[in-house]
Amino acid sequence: MSNFATILSLARAGATARAWDSFLSEGLGDVTNNPTALTLKGRLLKDQARKAKGEAAAWLYLQSAEAYADAAALGPDSYPLINAATMSLFAGQPPHMALLAQRVLEMLDTGSGAGETPYWHEATRAEALLLLGRRDDARAALDKAIFAAPAAWEDRAATLRQFREIAEFRGEACAWLARYAPPASLYFKGMIGISPDDLHAAKIARDATASANAGFGYGALAAGSDILIAEALIEQGAELHVVLPLIPSAFRAQSVAPFGDAWLPRYDRLFELAASVTIVATDEALTHAAVQFAAQAAKGAALENAAKLEGKAGGLELNDIASQHFVAATDNLVPLERSATLPGAALDDGKLLISLIVDHPDLDTQLWGAVAGGFYMLSVNSFVAADTLLANVRQAMPDARCAVAAIAGAITTGDSDSHVAKVVRMAQCAAAGTTVTDKASALAMRSIFSTMRFEPLGELPDKTGAIDIYAILSGR
């Protein structure tokens, strides 16, 4: 009947108004006999309530509770019922909340409303117990949920977010939730030219990653500090996410091989063990701008992962430039919402080209350069300038479709033409009123604008390989 997954993706990415408009445009607002539609309605109203205040928020929470309860009434399902209970609390109806929370416990005990997974079964029980004021029992149930799925970080993040909101609404302390926080997301970098058999430097890297409680690492794999830190992350069971400034074979030839053959098998092993690999440029020549672009993308990836998992982000640099003794400089790991960006060198704007492609009938063609297919382009050389330009476009033409992407390095006319053609193709994927970008540009912008949100849309085939396309859903 409708694309529920698309609407839910918009909601999860923070595009509350767009998700609600899409829900209504699909004719779902008045549906009363579809539990999936009613559950989604409850979710969308909850998201609106979180952004409202006072009586408006209470009314929206009440409407959300009713939608969730209507979904639960159509079949035994603990998920909409526990949400109905929590929304009733936020709507100022604690007696009704207690009644629904008790019903959830009865459903779970009898098996009539089993959770979707063992994790959600126990996490739902924990939420019902928390609503009923049985915090010790809630902790025990949450422990069982995490034991069932210790690495289900995104599910755990959703639970922690909900529990924190319950505690804050009641004016209760929520420090006890800290024990369930995920390990830190760490951006890393450092010097090259270290001897591959320097055990002291390797120990410094191990100690630093352990001290940071790193569970996720984001950086390149150049010979030296990068490889030592990446090996330390793997050794302690962390996920390694590699972010390279150019294609892997060229990076290996220019940033690993010249510093000794002993580094090569270590690079190859880490590359194989990586949970993901992001490449910010498709050139074969290593440039300072591409290195800086990759660094911004790695920082953004660390910040984004920490936000998604309700965790902390930090940075680690391993250098010995001043004293010839290795020093691990670790940024303070603070809650993400209090950290705008991670420290680091700014992009080399003189070597960065950022193209904004716009399609709208009201564009002033005297100010914009026409490109293929009736689209228009303006180029700048910093993400801050691109964001400002995009904000102006959105204000003047909210229904325009846009694409923004960067190219770094020694840019030739041919490179620029190919880059612009790629961004035009990306814009052709955008719906009216939306902006799309590629993965590397999205991550780099995420490191600069702390509140930026984006949602993956899929892959765009390209002669240089598939391009991951993201929708930008909010800016600064």
Side-chain angles (χ1 to χ4, degrees):
M1 179 170 56
S2 69
N3 194 341
F4 291 110
T6 299
I7 298 172
L8 184 58
S9 293
L10 289 171
R12 286 174 172 166
T16 305
R18 284 180 55 208
W20 182 245
D21 288 344
S22 296
F23 182 82
L24 295 180
S25 68
E26 292 282 354
L28 298 172
D30 298 322
V31 171
T32 60
N33 60 353
N34 186 318
T36 303
L38 290 167
T39 298
L40 181 56
K41 181 179 181 180
R43 161 65 188 265
L44 299 179
L45 289 166
K46 174 175 66 175
D47 290 345
Q48 293 177 55
R50 285 171 167 164
K51 296 183 178 182
K53 295 181 179 180
E55 293 184 1
W59 184 84
L60 286 166
Y61 277 127
L62 181 60
Q63 299 303 306
S64 174
E66 290 178 352
Y68 276 126
D70 288 345
L74 294 174
D77 191 341
S78 58
Y79 173 77
L81 193 58
I82 190 61
N83 277 283
T86 301
M87 296 308 103
S88 294
L89 171 67
F90 296 157
Q93 298 187 330
H96 190 56
M97 172 274 293
L99 177 65
L100 295 178
Q102 189 59 49
R103 283 179 54 195
V104 169
L105 292 179
E106 292 169 359
M107 289 178 67
L108 295 175
D109 288 340
T110 61
S112 61
E116 184 177 309
T117 65
Y119 173 86
W120 282 117
H121 187 86
E122 291 301 327
T124 300
R125 184 190 304 278
E127 186 170 344
L129 292 166
L130 184 63
L131 290 172
L132 294 171
R134 297 165 57 182
R135 194 170 79 178
D136 289 344
D137 292 335
R139 289 180 62 169
L142 185 53
D143 287 338
K144 290 181 66 175
I146 291 172
F147 180 80
W153 300 116
E154 293 189 44
D155 291 346
R156 190 190 308 191
T159 300
L160 295 178
R161 198 174 295 120
Q162 189 98 316
F163 281 23
R164 190 172 292 112
E165 290 180 356
I166 292 170
E168 290 173 351
F169 182 84
R170 288 172 161 171
E172 299 173 352
C174 55
W176 64 278
L177 294 173
R179 64 177 287 200
Y180 301 106
S185 299
L186 197 69
Y187 155 70
F188 64 88
K189 65 178 292 187
M191 65 173 297
I192 57 177
I194 298 173
S195 170
D197 57 0
D198 193 319
L199 299 181
H200 176 63
K203 181 179 184 304
I204 293 294
R206 289 195 301 271
D207 291 347
T209 54
S211 176
N213 186 32
F216 311 89
Y218 299 83
L221 290 178
S225 296
D226 285 358
I227 286 180
L228 293 179
I229 294 170
E231 288 176 336
L233 289 166
I234 292 293
E235 185 178 315
Q236 69 184 49
E239 284 186 11
L240 174 63
H241 297 267
V242 175
V243 185
L244 297 181
L246 70 168
I247 59 175
S249 59
F251 183 83
R252 185 181 188 271
Q254 298 174 61
S255 294
V256 184
F259 302 95
D261 289 345
W263 288 114
L264 293 173
R266 295 165 73 171
Y267 169 88
D268 294 337
R269 172 179 175 268
L270 291 168
F271 194 86
E272 289 297 322
L273 291 174
S276 71
V277 176
T278 300
I279 302 165
V280 306
T282 57
D283 331 337
E284 295 191 6
L286 187 66
T287 65
H288 178 66
V291 170
Q292 295 292 64
F293 186 15
Q296 292 291 147
K299 292 173 189 176
L303 286 163
E304 179 64 17
N305 193 61
K308 181 173 65 176
L309 302 185
E310 290 282 298
K312 297 179 180 180
L316 171 63
E317 294 192 23
L318 181 60
N319 293 298
D320 74 341
I321 296 171
S323 64
Q324 301 301 310
H325 295 288
F326 292 102
V327 176
T330 308
D331 298 328
N332 291 330
L333 299 179
V334 297
L336 180 64
E337 61 270 17
R338 299 181 186 176
S339 174
T341 65
L342 293 173
L347 284 168
D348 183 351
D349 290 346
K351 297 292 185 181
L352 190 75
L353 173 68
I354 302 174
S355 298
L356 174 63
I357 303 292
V358 181
D359 178 42
H360 192 275
D362 296 337
L363 278 173
D364 185 343
T365 57
Q366 294 181 344
L367 298 179
W368 294 69
V371 293
F375 290 78
Y376 295 88
M377 182 191 79
L378 192 64
S379 294
V380 292
N381 47 27
S382 81
F383 281 114
V384 174
D387 182 70
T388 300
L389 180 61
L390 180 59
N392 292 337
V393 170
R394 282 277 160 254
Q395 183 175 8
M397 298 169 284
D399 57 339
R401 53 176 177 160
C402 307
V404 58
I407 181 174
I411 301 167
T412 68
T413 300
D415 293 334
S416 179
D417 291 345
S418 175
H419 165 69
V420 170
K422 182 189 82 170
V423 187
V424 168
R425 291 183 61 219
M426 290 166 53
Q428 291 169 334
C429 300
T434 65
T435 303
V436 299
T437 188
D438 59 88
K439 181 178 181 180
S441 299
L443 292 173
M445 286 186 277
R446 181 66 177 83
S447 76
I448 299 168
F449 308 119
S450 61
T451 59
M452 179 185 169
R453 300 293 300 275
F454 52 87
E455 172 76 5
L457 294 179
E459 292 184 342
L460 177 66
D462 187 74
K463 63 182 180 181
T464 59
I467 303 169
D468 291 318
I469 303 297
Y470 286 74
I472 301 175
L473 298 168
S474 59
R476 284 177 286 181

